[in-house]
Amino acid sequence: MAGIADLGVGIGWRPEIDLTVERLPGVDFVEVVAENLHIGHLPESVTLLLDRGVPVLPHAVSLSLGGAEEVDLARVEHLGAVAEAVGAPLVSDHVCFVRAGGLDSGHLMPVPRTRDALDVLVANVRTAQRNLPVPLALENVAALLEWPDGELTEGQFLAELVERTDCWLLVDVANLYANARNIGTDPGRFLDEIPLERLAYVHVAGGVEHGEVYHDTHAHAVLPEVLELLDELCSRVNPPGVLLERDDNYPSDTEIASELAAIRAVVDKKRD
Amino acid sequence: MSGTPTAREKLASQQAALLNALLANGPAPDGFDERRIDVERRALLAKRRGIVRMLGPDIADTLGDRFQPLFDVYAAENPRRTGSRAREDAAAFAEWCRAAGELPTGRKARWKFWRPN
C-alpha cells in the first residue's frame, strides 16, 4: 500500500472529554479505543466528528498479539468492524501480550525480545492482518521490567517485525522515554533501527516519576523530555500524524489545548 | 511426540510464569530483577484497583480507608481470569467484602431494622 495520508495533530477521544475534543481548535484526527465501541451504537460525539470529516482511527488494546495463545479472532473481527463503521484507513494495537496461563494482566505487557517470541508475534500479526479490512499498525509499549535473555534491541525487534509482516509502526515517544528510563533503551539507536518509512503516526502522553521508575500514566502532563524525543523523531522523518493520549485525571480544556499546541510547535518547527 | 518445545510453547510457559508472579504472588521467574517484579506487581494492582474504584465508587466510599488494603488482599486471592470483565471484578470484590463481613448485606440491614436495640 502507498504511504499513510497526512493526519496532522490529534487527540485520543474518550467519553469523559467528548465535548472538549469537539470544541478544541486544531484537532485534525482522533483515535477511539476499539474495545469500548459497539457497532451500531457509536457515541454521538464520534458521529459528529465523522460528520465534520475528522478521521477516526480505531486503537485496540486487547488483541495480545505478542501472546503465546492463538489470536482471538472475535477480537480481530470487532476491530475490523469498528474500522468499517468509522471508515478508518488503518487500525492499531500493541507489541505486547495481555493474557497468559489463564490470567488477564489488564495491561500491555512487554514481550521477550527473543527470536522465538518474534516468530510467534509474526505469526499472530499475519493472522490478524488476514482478518482485517485495513492495514495494521503496531505500537511499542512502555515497560517497567526487562525480560532476561533478550537477543535483539527493541529497534531491531520492531524492524524485523515490519520486514516480515509489512505492518506499520505507531511510535509512542512517551513509551520510548519510559523504556530509556526504566530498562535502558537507547532512544537514538531505537530511532536509527526502526524503518521510519513505515511510520503510521506517533503517540505522545504524560507520565510521572515514582521511585526509581517512570510510569506512563496518561494521567499527568507531557514531560519536556518526551517532547524532545518527538523533536528527535521529527528531525529524522516528517511523521504523518501525532496524537496526544490522555486517559485519566483530565485537566482543563486550556491545558489540553496547550499540550496540543506544544506538540504542533515541535511538528511545525523549521528544520534544516 | 518430540520432546523439544515449540517457540509458542516456550513463550507460553514464560508468559504464564511472569503473570503468575505478578498477579498471583507466584515466585519471580529466573532472570528477572525481583525489585522490578515488585514495582510491576504494584503498578498492575493499582491499575486494577483504580478501575474497580471507578466502577463502584459507592463501595469504595463505604469502605473508606479499608478499601485499598481489602482490595489488595482480594486481588491477590483472586487474580483476574482470562475472559472476565472489569465489571465482574468489581461485583466479585463487593461480594467478597460482604462475605468477609466488611460490607453490610441486604439481610443484615433488615435484621438491624427490627433488632430491639
Side-chain angles (χ1 to χ4, degrees):
Chain A
M1 135 175 187
I4 295 287
D6 261 352
L7 293 164
V9 174
I11 185 165
W13 181 93
R14 306 287 183 261
E16 295 88 344
I17 50 168
D18 55 353
L19 297 176
T20 300
V21 174
E22 288 169 25
R23 64 188 168 223
L24 274 174
V27 170
D28 303 322
F29 75 110
V30 300
E31 206 177 54
V32 289
V33 177
E35 285 81 355
N36 295 345
L37 290 198
H38 303 279
I39 307 302
H41 303 279
L42 290 183
E44 216 180 298
S45 174
V46 170
T47 308
L48 181 144
L49 292 166
L50 285 170
D51 287 345
R52 285 190 199 159
V54 176
V56 174
L57 305 186
H59 184 52
V61 294
S62 71
L63 298 189
S64 200
L65 294 174
E69 290 164 14
E70 299 289 343
V71 179
D72 182 346
L73 288 179
R75 294 177 192 271
V76 177
E77 275 159 27
H78 177 74
L79 176 59
V82 173
E84 287 183 328
V86 299
L90 82 161
V91 294
S92 56
D93 199 318
H94 305 78
V95 176
C96 75
F97 78 103
V98 176
R99 301 171 290 276
L103 299 181
D104 187 329
S105 71
H107 197 63
L108 311 168
M109 303 300 297
V111 296
R113 291 192 310 277
T114 59
R115 296 249 159 233
D116 279 345
L118 182 60
D119 287 347
V120 174
L121 172 66
V122 165
N124 289 346
V125 168
R126 285 179 180 152
T127 301
Q129 286 171 321
R130 275 197 302 276
N131 289 278
L132 284 169
V134 291
L136 174 66
L138 292 168
E139 176 180 349
N140 57 308
V141 296
L144 291 172
L145 47 74
E146 175 78 313
W147 282 88
D149 307 322
E151 295 162 345
L152 301 161
T153 64
E154 197 180 353
Q156 289 166 342
F157 193 85
L158 294 176
E160 198 160 320
L161 171 66
V162 170
E163 197 183 309
R164 291 171 62 183
T165 66
D166 217 22
C167 70
W168 291 83
L169 287 177
L170 169 46
V171 171
D172 188 316
V173 286
N175 291 349
L176 178 55
Y177 174 74
N179 287 3
R181 284 291 323 274
N182 298 343
I183 60 169
T185 301
D186 177 342
R189 183 167 176 190
F190 176 94
L191 293 172
D192 285 342
E193 287 173 341
I194 60 170
L196 288 169
E197 70 280 6
R198 296 296 292 178
L199 178 62
Y201 58 107
V202 176
H203 272 172
V204 174
V208 68
E209 299 272 350
H210 206 29
E212 64 176 14
V213 296
Y214 172 82
H215 290 262
D216 172 57
T217 61
H218 298 191
H220 296 81
V222 175
L223 293 191
E225 293 89 335
V226 170
L227 291 178
E228 281 165 26
L229 275 183
L230 176 63
D231 185 54
E232 177 69 33
L233 181 145
C234 291
S235 71
R236 293 158 194 252
V237 66
N238 185 16
V242 183
L243 182 128
L244 173 68
E245 292 181 293
R246 182 80 185 211
D247 292 329
D248 204 355
N249 193 22
Y250 296 99
S252 67
D253 287 14
T254 319
E255 280 171 75
I256 294 182
S258 81
E259 290 208 321
L260 288 176
I263 289 168
R264 195 178 290 279
V266 174
V267 174
D268 290 348
K269 190 170 128 183
K270 291 259 183 296
R271 293 168 200 279
D272 299 327
Chain B
M1 226 177 93
S2 158
T4 316
T6 64
R8 209 176 266 279
E9 286 163 355
K10 229 188 289 178
L11 186 64
S13 69
Q14 289 172 320
Q15 292 179 336
L18 180 60
L19 290 197
N20 186 49
L22 294 173
L23 305 173
N25 283 338
D30 285 348
F32 280 93
D33 177 339
E34 295 209 20
R35 271 174 37 225
R36 287 303 181 86
I37 290 275
D38 198 46
V39 169
E40 180 81 85
R41 182 186 287 137
R42 282 185 280 121
L44 294 175
L45 180 59
K47 184 174 179 182
R48 182 178 171 191
R49 194 198 302 123
I51 291 169
V52 167
R53 186 192 291 276
M54 187 189 73
L55 292 173
D58 296 352
I59 286 166
D61 286 350
T62 305
L63 292 172
D65 290 345
R66 291 177 297 145
F67 172 72
Q68 178 164 342
L70 285 172
F71 185 81
D72 293 359
V73 174
Y74 156 81
E77 287 176 7
N78 301 276
R80 269 192 69 191
R81 302 282 159 191
T82 299
S84 70
R85 292 176 179 279
R87 282 189 191 285
E88 291 163 359
D89 196 27
F93 171 59
E95 196 47 51
W96 181 90
C97 287
R98 282 186 205 103
E102 298 287 350
L103 276 178
T105 62
R107 213 164 157 206
K108 265 189 192 151
R110 253 202 314 214
W111 287 348
K112 209 172 174 184
F113 174 71
W114 49 265
R115 214 176 266 165
N117 56 341

